[in-house]
Amino acid sequence: MTASGLPMTVSAQGLPARVRIHEVGARDGLQNEKTVVPTEVKAEFVHRLAAAGLPVVEATSFVHPRWVPQLADAEELFGRLGDLDAAMLPVLVPNDRGLDRALALGARSVAVFASATESFAQANLNRTVDEALAMFAPVVARSKEAGVRVRGYLSMCFGDPWEGPVPLPQVVRVCRALLDMGCDELSLGDTIGVATPGHVRALLTALNGADVPTDRIGVHFHDTYGQALANTLAALEHGVTTVDASAGGLGGCPYAKSATGNLATEDLVWMLHGLGIDTGVDLTALTATSVWMAEALGRPSPSRTVRALSHKE
Ligand code: MG
């Protein structure tokens, strides 16, 4: 660490000048925490993340509260974010009812969540992969009619806890289907964190071969095996410029039974700024936000960068 608490900057060849960080801490993070955070704390969290310069702050999920009790306050939370631009606050919608709820509140950006594997589609959605896609098709079509941006999440793009390694053509097929139904952007999820950089390159190359352009692809890595930043760098070298991360590393991985899940936004920002890649994020403000949220959750942040920057002698 330099005296300023910021990384030294040494640029490298062949990397994008700017990366758009898609912050998922308030949704993917808190949804996977045991503690249910009060709505006013969530609202302050989203406001602080936006104030720290994150361009996209995924806010919540309009799934049925029975499935995700941590996010049962989606309506009330979204109502407290009216001072922010709704276009920077994507929300998850599983079906037509969820979309109705989101549109009624003025959502301008939504996400559906598909699976690359049958096992996870059954576990998470109680449907086959194709039944889930059929459920999302009208959601995506109606969103596009309403002028709302749609992101298509795809879980288990690399490995699946029940099926093992996931064949590339299987992932490519579902990605293609999501784009064909109108999704603006994909987010390739390494839900159990088993990917390694060669696998990332192979999947991105296979997607390009199926006419999926790199500028429609975001990556969503988990740090379960310590590979998230290496995988991110491989994706950046391929030309990817949208990277998902969770402030403070919020959200364990419920399927890997591990404390470490989402890539921490601070760890990502440290690497990107060290490479001279612009993110618009104020790392000091972001770290202070994650320290504050860790106190609200009653446990330290798993982010190495948060720990390093907040360590007091
Ligand atoms: Mg995640």
Side-chain angles (χ1 to χ4, degrees):
M1 181 172 74
T2 55
S4 63
L6 300 171
M8 293 174 285
T9 297
V10 182
S11 299
Q13 296 266 309
L15 294 171
R18 188 175 177 85
V19 161
R20 187 175 68 122
I21 298 178
H22 185 110
E23 169 61 47
V24 299
R27 197 279 303 169
D28 186 12
L30 293 182
Q31 150 177 349
N32 291 309
E33 293 287 336
K34 287 190 194 74
T35 309
V36 178
V37 175
T39 309
E40 60 269 24
V41 174
K42 290 179 188 167
E44 182 174 349
F45 187 39
V46 173
H47 280 112
R48 287 180 69 151
L49 292 169
L54 286 153
V56 183
V57 183
E58 198 164 283
T60 187
S61 172
F62 287 88
V63 296
H64 195 287
R66 193 187 329 141
W67 305 121
V68 186
Q70 293 92 333
L71 305 184
D73 59 351
E75 259 95 0
E76 193 194 339
L77 174 62
F78 205 79
R80 287 173 183 247
L81 305 175
D83 56 316
L84 298 172
D85 179 0
M88 71 169 292
L89 301 172
V91 295
L92 254 62
V93 292
N95 50 31
D96 270 323
R97 279 192 311 285
L99 180 64
D100 289 340
R101 291 167 64 202
L103 291 179
L105 288 164
R108 302 302 302 154
S109 180
V110 301
V112 296
F113 42 98
S115 169
T117 66
E118 294 294 344
S119 300
F120 189 68
Q122 286 295 344
N124 198 39
L125 300 165
N126 199 27
R127 281 170 172 78
T128 67
V129 168
D130 286 338
E131 285 168 354
L133 290 172
M135 175 172 71
F136 297 138
V139 175
V140 176
R142 289 180 55 215
S143 298
K144 300 309 296 174
E145 280 165 28
V148 167
R149 180 178 167 84
V150 186
R151 162 176 254 228
Y153 275 104
L154 192 59
S155 293
M156 306 296 176
C157 288
F158 298 91
D160 175 287
W162 300 279
E163 300 180 19
V166 181
L168 299 180
Q170 192 173 320
V171 183
V172 170
R173 181 182 81 84
V174 185
C175 285
R176 195 60 261 170
L178 287 167
L179 284 188
D180 289 343
M181 73 173 67
C183 287
D184 298 289
E185 176 183 85
L186 301 169
S187 172
L188 307 178
D190 181 18
T191 314
I192 56 172
V194 294
T196 44
H199 196 165
V200 172
R201 288 193 192 100
L203 177 56
L204 293 170
T205 301
L207 285 166
N208 293 156
D211 290 329
V212 176
T214 304
D215 64 5
R216 306 276 293 276
I217 299 172
V219 289
H220 185 113
F221 293 123
H222 283 191
D223 211 26
T224 321
Y225 295 88
Q227 305 299 300
L229 282 179
N231 291 336
T232 300
L233 187 56
L236 299 178
E237 286 167 348
H238 193 89
V240 169
T241 58
T242 297
V243 180
D244 297 4
S246 177
L250 285 178
C253 179
Y255 299 96
K257 292 191 170 53
S258 157
T260 314
N262 289 308
L263 168 61
T265 312
E266 290 84 354
D267 297 10
L268 173 63
V269 169
W270 185 273
M271 182 180 81
L272 295 176
H273 290 185
L275 286 163
I277 296 172
D278 185 20
T279 65
V281 173
D282 177 339
L283 181 58
T284 305
L286 175 61
T287 301
T289 299
S290 289
V291 169
W292 165 81
M293 180 50 84
E295 282 166 12
L297 290 168
R299 57 132 185 81
S301 164
S303 161
R304 315 276 179 85
T305 299
V306 170
R307 288 184 182 196
L309 292 179
S310 62
H311 179 74
K312 296 185 184 68
E313 293 298 330

Short mmCIF file of all heavy atoms in Angstrom, two decimals, residues 5 7 29 39 41-42 62 69 75 98 108 123 125 129 131 166 168 184 222 225 231 233 240 251 253 261 282 306 312:
data_model
loop_
_atom_site.label_atom_id
_atom_site.label_comp_id
_atom_site.label_asym_id
_atom_site.label_seq_id
_atom_site.Cartn_x
_atom_site.Cartn_y
_atom_site.Cartn_z
N GLY A 5 -3.04 5.13 0.82
CA GLY A 5 -4.08 4.12 0.89
C GLY A 5 -4.60 3.73 -0.48
O GLY A 5 -5.67 3.12 -0.59
N PRO A 7 -3.44 2.10 -4.52
CA PRO A 7 -2.38 1.32 -5.14
C PRO A 7 -1.49 2.19 -6.04
O PRO A 7 -1.94 3.20 -6.56
CB PRO A 7 -3.14 0.30 -5.99
CG PRO A 7 -4.45 0.96 -6.28
CD PRO A 7 -4.76 1.80 -5.08
N GLY A 29 -25.35 -9.84 -2.41
CA GLY A 29 -24.65 -9.92 -1.14
C GLY A 29 -25.60 -10.16 0.02
O GLY A 29 -25.55 -11.19 0.69
N THR A 39 -34.48 -2.09 6.59
CA THR A 39 -34.64 -1.39 5.31
C THR A 39 -33.86 -0.08 5.29
O THR A 39 -33.24 0.26 4.27
CB THR A 39 -36.13 -1.12 5.05
OG1 THR A 39 -36.84 -2.35 5.22
CG2 THR A 39 -36.34 -0.61 3.64
N VAL A 41 -31.16 0.70 6.78
CA VAL A 41 -29.73 0.44 6.62
C VAL A 41 -29.41 0.09 5.17
O VAL A 41 -28.42 0.54 4.59
CB VAL A 41 -29.27 -0.68 7.58
CG1 VAL A 41 -27.81 -1.06 7.35
CG2 VAL A 41 -29.49 -0.25 9.03
N LYS A 42 -30.28 -0.73 4.55
CA LYS A 42 -30.09 -1.05 3.13
C LYS A 42 -30.13 0.22 2.27
O LYS A 42 -29.33 0.38 1.35
CB LYS A 42 -31.19 -2.00 2.65
CG LYS A 42 -31.11 -3.39 3.20
CD LYS A 42 -32.28 -4.20 2.65
CE LYS A 42 -32.37 -5.55 3.31
NZ LYS A 42 -33.65 -6.21 3.01
N PHE A 62 -37.34 -8.73 -6.72
CA PHE A 62 -38.79 -8.86 -6.58
C PHE A 62 -39.22 -10.32 -6.71
O PHE A 62 -40.19 -10.63 -7.37
CB PHE A 62 -39.51 -7.95 -7.59
CG PHE A 62 -39.41 -6.50 -7.22
CD1 PHE A 62 -38.34 -5.73 -7.64
CD2 PHE A 62 -40.38 -5.92 -6.43
CE1 PHE A 62 -38.24 -4.39 -7.27
CE2 PHE A 62 -40.30 -4.58 -6.06
CZ PHE A 62 -39.21 -3.82 -6.48
N PRO A 69 -36.31 -14.20 2.14
CA PRO A 69 -36.84 -13.31 3.19
C PRO A 69 -35.95 -12.10 3.45
O PRO A 69 -36.45 -11.05 3.89
CB PRO A 69 -36.91 -14.23 4.43
CG PRO A 69 -36.13 -15.46 4.09
CD PRO A 69 -36.09 -15.58 2.60
N GLU A 75 -40.26 -3.44 -2.07
CA GLU A 75 -41.08 -2.26 -2.38
C GLU A 75 -40.66 -1.06 -1.52
O GLU A 75 -40.45 0.03 -2.02
CB GLU A 75 -42.57 -2.54 -2.11
CG GLU A 75 -43.38 -2.83 -3.34
CD GLU A 75 -43.50 -4.34 -3.59
OE1 GLU A 75 -42.94 -5.11 -2.79
OE2 GLU A 75 -44.13 -4.72 -4.59
N GLY A 98 -43.40 -10.37 -10.65
CA GLY A 98 -42.28 -9.58 -10.17
C GLY A 98 -42.05 -8.35 -11.03
O GLY A 98 -41.77 -7.26 -10.52
N ARG A 108 -36.32 0.94 -13.98
CA ARG A 108 -35.91 1.19 -15.38
C ARG A 108 -34.87 0.18 -15.85
O ARG A 108 -34.39 0.25 -16.98
CB ARG A 108 -35.33 2.60 -15.53
CG ARG A 108 -36.25 3.72 -15.12
CD ARG A 108 -37.56 3.74 -15.89
NE ARG A 108 -37.37 3.84 -17.33
CZ ARG A 108 -38.25 3.39 -18.24
NH1 ARG A 108 -39.36 2.79 -17.86
NH2 ARG A 108 -38.01 3.56 -19.52
N ALA A 123 -33.07 -26.76 -8.68
CA ALA A 123 -32.86 -26.35 -7.28
C ALA A 123 -33.31 -24.92 -7.04
O ALA A 123 -33.90 -24.60 -6.01
CB ALA A 123 -31.39 -26.51 -6.91
N LEU A 125 -35.09 -22.77 -9.37
CA LEU A 125 -36.30 -22.29 -10.04
C LEU A 125 -37.40 -23.36 -10.12
O LEU A 125 -38.49 -23.07 -10.57
CB LEU A 125 -35.96 -21.82 -11.46
CG LEU A 125 -34.93 -20.68 -11.53
CD1 LEU A 125 -34.39 -20.53 -12.94
CD2 LEU A 125 -35.53 -19.36 -11.06
N VAL A 129 -34.21 -26.07 -17.56
CA VAL A 129 -33.58 -24.89 -18.16
C VAL A 129 -34.53 -24.25 -19.17
O VAL A 129 -34.73 -23.03 -19.17
CB VAL A 129 -32.24 -25.28 -18.82
CG1 VAL A 129 -31.72 -24.15 -19.70
CG2 VAL A 129 -31.20 -25.66 -17.76
N GLU A 131 -37.82 -24.60 -19.46
CA GLU A 131 -39.03 -24.05 -18.82
C GLU A 131 -38.73 -22.69 -18.19
O GLU A 131 -39.57 -21.78 -18.24
CB GLU A 131 -39.54 -25.01 -17.75
CG GLU A 131 -40.25 -26.25 -18.31
CD GLU A 131 -40.48 -27.34 -17.26
OE1 GLU A 131 -39.99 -27.21 -16.12
OE2 GLU A 131 -41.13 -28.33 -17.62
N VAL A 166 -19.11 -27.81 -16.52
CA VAL A 166 -20.24 -27.57 -17.42
C VAL A 166 -19.71 -27.40 -18.84
O VAL A 166 -18.86 -26.54 -19.09
CB VAL A 166 -21.01 -26.30 -16.97
CG1 VAL A 166 -22.20 -26.05 -17.89
CG2 VAL A 166 -21.47 -26.45 -15.53
N LEU A 168 -18.96 -26.24 -22.52
CA LEU A 168 -19.09 -24.91 -23.11
C LEU A 168 -20.34 -24.78 -23.98
O LEU A 168 -21.05 -23.76 -23.88
CB LEU A 168 -17.84 -24.56 -23.93
CG LEU A 168 -16.51 -24.50 -23.18
CD1 LEU A 168 -15.38 -24.14 -24.15
CD2 LEU A 168 -16.55 -23.48 -22.05
N ASP A 184 -30.27 -7.28 -23.02
CA ASP A 184 -29.26 -6.34 -23.48
C ASP A 184 -27.86 -6.79 -23.11
O ASP A 184 -26.89 -6.48 -23.80
CB ASP A 184 -29.52 -4.96 -22.84
CG ASP A 184 -30.85 -4.40 -23.26
OD1 ASP A 184 -30.98 -4.02 -24.43
OD2 ASP A 184 -31.79 -4.39 -22.42
N HIS A 222 -16.82 -15.62 -8.39
CA HIS A 222 -16.79 -15.85 -6.94
C HIS A 222 -15.37 -16.26 -6.54
O HIS A 222 -14.67 -16.91 -7.31
CB HIS A 222 -17.80 -16.92 -6.55
CG HIS A 222 -19.21 -16.41 -6.53
ND1 HIS A 222 -20.25 -17.13 -6.00
CD2 HIS A 222 -19.75 -15.24 -6.96
CE1 HIS A 222 -21.37 -16.43 -6.11
NE2 HIS A 222 -21.10 -15.29 -6.69
N TYR A 225 -12.26 -20.19 -4.42
CA TYR A 225 -10.94 -20.82 -4.51
C TYR A 225 -9.83 -19.80 -4.80
O TYR A 225 -8.77 -20.16 -5.29
CB TYR A 225 -10.97 -21.93 -5.58
CG TYR A 225 -11.90 -23.06 -5.21
CD1 TYR A 225 -13.24 -23.02 -5.55
CD2 TYR A 225 -11.44 -24.14 -4.45
CE1 TYR A 225 -14.11 -24.02 -5.17
CE2 TYR A 225 -12.30 -25.15 -4.06
CZ TYR A 225 -13.64 -25.09 -4.43
OH TYR A 225 -14.50 -26.09 -4.03
N ASN A 231 -9.35 -14.60 -12.84
CA ASN A 231 -10.36 -14.78 -13.88
C ASN A 231 -10.81 -13.45 -14.46
O ASN A 231 -11.05 -13.33 -15.66
CB ASN A 231 -11.56 -15.53 -13.30
CG ASN A 231 -11.23 -16.97 -12.97
OD1 ASN A 231 -10.29 -17.54 -13.55
ND2 ASN A 231 -11.97 -17.56 -12.05
N LEU A 233 -8.97 -10.74 -14.71
CA LEU A 233 -7.91 -10.24 -15.59
C LEU A 233 -7.96 -10.95 -16.95
O LEU A 233 -7.81 -10.32 -18.00
CB LEU A 233 -6.54 -10.43 -14.93
CG LEU A 233 -5.33 -9.82 -15.63
CD1 LEU A 233 -5.52 -8.32 -15.86
CD2 LEU A 233 -4.05 -10.08 -14.84
N VAL A 240 -13.60 -7.80 -22.14
CA VAL A 240 -14.78 -7.58 -21.29
C VAL A 240 -14.58 -6.29 -20.49
O VAL A 240 -13.49 -6.04 -19.97
CB VAL A 240 -14.97 -8.77 -20.33
CG1 VAL A 240 -16.02 -8.46 -19.26
CG2 VAL A 240 -15.38 -10.02 -21.12
N GLY A 251 -21.98 -11.65 1.06
CA GLY A 251 -22.65 -12.79 0.45
C GLY A 251 -21.75 -14.00 0.38
O GLY A 251 -20.86 -14.06 -0.47
N CYS A 253 -21.33 -18.14 -0.30
CA CYS A 253 -21.93 -18.93 -1.37
C CYS A 253 -22.71 -20.07 -0.75
O CYS A 253 -22.12 -21.01 -0.20
CB CYS A 253 -20.89 -19.48 -2.32
SG CYS A 253 -21.65 -20.47 -3.61
N GLY A 261 -17.63 -15.88 -1.05
CA GLY A 261 -18.47 -15.95 -2.23
C GLY A 261 -18.08 -14.91 -3.24
O GLY A 261 -17.07 -15.04 -3.94
N ASP A 282 -14.45 5.83 -5.77
CA ASP A 282 -13.60 6.35 -4.70
C ASP A 282 -13.36 5.21 -3.71
O ASP A 282 -14.25 4.86 -2.93
CB ASP A 282 -14.32 7.53 -4.04
CG ASP A 282 -13.56 8.12 -2.85
OD1 ASP A 282 -12.69 7.40 -2.27
OD2 ASP A 282 -13.85 9.26 -2.48
N VAL A 306 -10.38 -4.42 2.11
CA VAL A 306 -11.04 -3.72 3.22
C VAL A 306 -10.25 -3.93 4.50
O VAL A 306 -10.00 -2.99 5.27
CB VAL A 306 -12.49 -4.23 3.38
CG1 VAL A 306 -13.09 -3.68 4.68
CG2 VAL A 306 -13.34 -3.80 2.20
N LYS A 312 -5.90 -1.03 11.86
CA LYS A 312 -5.28 0.00 12.70
C LYS A 312 -4.23 -0.65 13.58
O LYS A 312 -4.47 -1.69 14.17
CB LYS A 312 -6.35 0.69 13.55
CG LYS A 312 -7.37 1.44 12.70
CD LYS A 312 -8.36 2.22 13.56
CE LYS A 312 -9.42 2.88 12.70
NZ LYS A 312 -10.34 1.90 12.05
#
